[in-house]
Amino acid sequence: MFLRTEMGIERAMGQAGGVHHLSDGYVLKSPFTEQAGSLLQNPFMFCGGVDDDVAEAMYSKNRLVPTFTKSQITPLRNKTEPHPTPAIFPNGV
Amino acid sequence: MTLGGLASGLSVSLKIRNLLASFQVHEQITRLVCVEGWSAIAWWAGPRFDDLLRAYPPMSQAKWARLESSVNLGRWGNPEPYFVSLDLATARHPQTLLATHLNGKPLTLEHGAPLRLVVPVKLGLKNVKAITRISYTKDEPTDYWAKRGYSRYDGI
């Protein structure tokens, strides 16, 4: 189990440092260090294949994520690709 | 937004204003966690996905939802439809919203107007913006990032 998880992390780090960063325009940052931190916090987050199955088996529909107060709101970053314009909704929403 | 894969066998088209008029709006302040290692705490509001599922039930064999934004743009401004898979158990989770508002205001286009998925038990990449279609399926549908080698589960 440990070895499988460790291998999953190594593979996932390579993936995340490639396509997603390139696509999201964050290539000028240092993705490796940030991802290493988050991976260590939760190795199941990035592990495909067998580890997806483990994560699914551990899923609890009754689990709630923490909620916060309005004073704890932080700026929400965004991807840098162009965004749709209002013209995409010619008939309104 | 259109709905497919319904028990009725019909395809349903919904306007956001009808959605807001038909369903209770829930508010929650939760953390959005990006695969790139950053996160943010945001105040979301909108109907629960579960309420939509109750009002427009999926076909009986359905276990998955495919959420698609056909208006998504790629890096160079080219059309690049974005799509995610979501298991129905997660769609029914009480903290899974079809958000119309962010921080007390209607969503901007940058943040997924007019309707986006907020699923805080999943990474940000599952939180598809500007949803144009939701389809229910028996088998796991394709997922934009899973096709590119990422985890298909993306849980937190």
Side-chain angles (χ1 to χ4, degrees):
Chain A
M1 175 66 190
F2 175 75
L3 283 175
R4 280 205 314 222
T5 302
E6 196 171 52
M7 289 167 65
I9 291 172
E10 187 179 344
R11 180 184 57 183
M13 288 172 93
Q15 292 164 352
V19 178
H20 192 69
H21 275 271
L22 191 62
S23 175
D24 274 11
Y26 292 121
V27 288
L28 297 180
K29 295 184 60 178
S30 174
F32 194 83
T33 50
E34 282 190 352
Q35 285 155 11
S38 56
L39 281 165
L40 289 173
Q41 289 165 20
N42 187 349
F44 290 115
M45 281 170 46
F46 295 89
C47 304
V50 169
D51 301 302
D52 269 343
D53 296 336
V54 172
E56 279 184 295
M58 294 175 68
Y59 176 76
S60 167
K61 65 180 180 182
N62 298 318
R63 171 182 164 257
L64 298 175
V65 299
T67 56
F68 301 87
T69 64
K70 289 177 184 173
S71 65
Q72 294 174 294
I73 292 172
T74 59
L76 181 58
R77 287 169 55 174
N78 219 330
K79 66 175 190 173
T80 54
E81 287 97 332
H83 298 282
T85 68
I88 62 173
F89 304 112
N91 300 316
V93 295
Chain B
M1 178 181 72
T2 58
L3 298 176
L6 299 174
S8 64
L10 302 174
S11 182
V12 172
S13 182
L14 291 174
K15 295 260 187 197
I16 301 305
R17 57 175 171 267
N18 296 339
L19 203 66
L20 290 173
S22 304
F23 300 106
Q24 183 181 350
V25 172
H26 296 268
E27 296 184 6
Q28 65 187 36
I29 302 175
T30 48
R31 185 184 294 276
L32 181 80
V33 181
C34 181
V35 70
E36 294 164 344
W38 58 267
S39 68
I41 295 170
W43 169 24
W44 305 102
R48 284 186 176 141
F49 201 154
D50 187 44
D51 290 339
L52 184 75
L53 283 159
R54 290 173 192 271
Y56 299 96
M59 59 182 177
S60 59
Q61 311 95 321
K63 290 185 166 51
W64 294 89
R66 172 188 158 102
L67 295 95
E68 179 179 344
S69 174
S70 63
V71 297
N72 186 63
L73 299 178
R75 183 178 174 86
W76 310 111
N78 52 306
E80 188 172 302
Y82 188 77
F83 45 93
V84 301
S85 63
L86 191 72
D87 59 279
L88 287 188
T90 301
R92 292 189 173 105
H93 189 282
Q95 291 177 312
T96 301
L97 299 183
L98 295 168
T100 55
H101 288 69
L102 169 64
N103 294 337
K105 297 176 182 174
L107 285 172
T108 61
L109 289 167
E110 289 78 9
H111 287 293
L115 186 77
R116 68 173 292 168
L117 179 67
V118 171
V119 53
V121 298
K122 299 284 188 183
L123 289 171
L125 50 78
K126 288 281 190 186
N127 292 242
V128 55
K129 299 173 183 175
I131 300 168
T132 53
R133 181 173 176 80
I134 300 175
S135 308
Y136 303 113
T137 60
K138 178 183 174 186
D139 299 316
E140 184 171 0
T142 53
D143 181 282
Y144 183 94
W145 284 111
K147 280 180 70 175
R148 289 157 173 80
Y150 275 65
S151 158
R152 60 179 170 73
Y153 184 76
D154 296 321
I156 295 175

